[in-house]
Amino acid sequence: MSFHETTVQAFLPILGSLSGLLTKAEAYCAAKKIQPEVLLGARLYPDMLPLSRQVQLACDFSTKACARLTKSELPSVPDTEKTFEELRQRLAKTSDYIKRFTPAQFEGAESRDVTFPAGPDRTMTLNGLQFLTRVAFPNFYFHAATTHGILRHNGVEIGKRDFLGVA
Amino acid sequence: MSFHETTVQAFLPILGSLSGLLTKAEAYCAAKKIQPEVLLGARLYPDMLPLSRQVQLACDFSTKACARLTKSELPSVPDTEKTFEELRQRLAKTSDYIKRFTPAQFEGAESRDVTFPAGPDRTMTLNGLQFLTRVAFPNFYFHAATTHGILRHNGVEIGKRDFLGVA
């Protein structure tokens, strides 16, 4: 099986879905006269990260997973987005970045070691398959599904089908 | 790369983590004098599925993914769990079921067609790799992360590290 295809086909549809969720969230703000920054700053609990950070982190984990698995330079992307539109642009740029990887770059990546930060002062090393299944996927989907959860909790009319991109 | 390993290594750690989340949730109920059934019935929004169903669905999607990919009989598991302990048993049985699959059963699964229900009155067919990355993984992680989100929103002291199983 293709490790490239597995990685890329998992990330791309969800990045697209998140963009759709943000469009519905923005329309909801307009209809309900909610300040966009209030919803962008919404959290499921006071010490949890807000909506905008969840989107940035979904971008970050998918971007860095592809870079680490292919031994590419880690792109440095500042987290500056302040509006729904800017977050959609971040998602679109992330998708564009991921689409540029070729199957050849992923050749052998499943068994190659990946060393990554695992806390403020330590690193961890796993092979590529372990890194993808135990680190990259759960982190990526965690922030993507939490984005959905925050919007759902605030009344935006979305459901799992929007998350899956089949709505 | 091993399609068997990719599938199984993604599901198992999260099923284990969910069990740990439920243990913390149960202790939180005891400490705060919360009726367990209140937290088991908690939702992020009134028309969303409650905590217990989120756990059952994470079990269901991982179980059925392995069965469909290997052309095994779909196990019929009734959703009868009413306590934290029963849900942990469901998670443990799901892990046991998934662990019994062998690499040989997954041989060729990535390119074999999988036909699955996609709504009340229609089915969809994708190859195994597409099914895993576009259907099984996003559904599985959606319900797993929503379990975390519901508990987090209700004040249970957990974080992403508990979800990742590295806490």
Side-chain angles (χ1 to χ4, degrees), chain A residues 4-21:
Chain A
H4 169 257
E5 213 179 334
T6 303
T7 306
V8 168
Q9 280 202 14
F11 291 145
L12 289 179
I14 300 294
L15 292 168
S17 302
L18 290 178
S19 190
L21 292 179

Side-chain angles (χ1 to χ4, degrees), chain B residues 23-74:
Chain B
T23 296
K24 289 200 177 181
E26 191 173 23
Y28 178 77
C29 285
K32 299 276 183 187
K33 304 197 193 314
I34 293 168
Q35 302 269 28
E37 56 271 30
V38 173
L39 194 50
L40 290 164
R43 308 160 194 260
L44 288 179
Y45 201 72
D47 69 356
M48 206 168 166
L49 293 172
L51 181 70
S52 57
R53 280 297 287 147
Q54 303 291 344
V55 176
Q56 289 163 345
L57 282 163
C59 291
D60 210 43
F61 274 104
S62 50
T63 296
K64 288 188 179 161
C66 293
R68 290 189 203 283
L69 287 167
T70 57
K71 303 287 176 200
S72 306
E73 200 186 333
L74 283 188

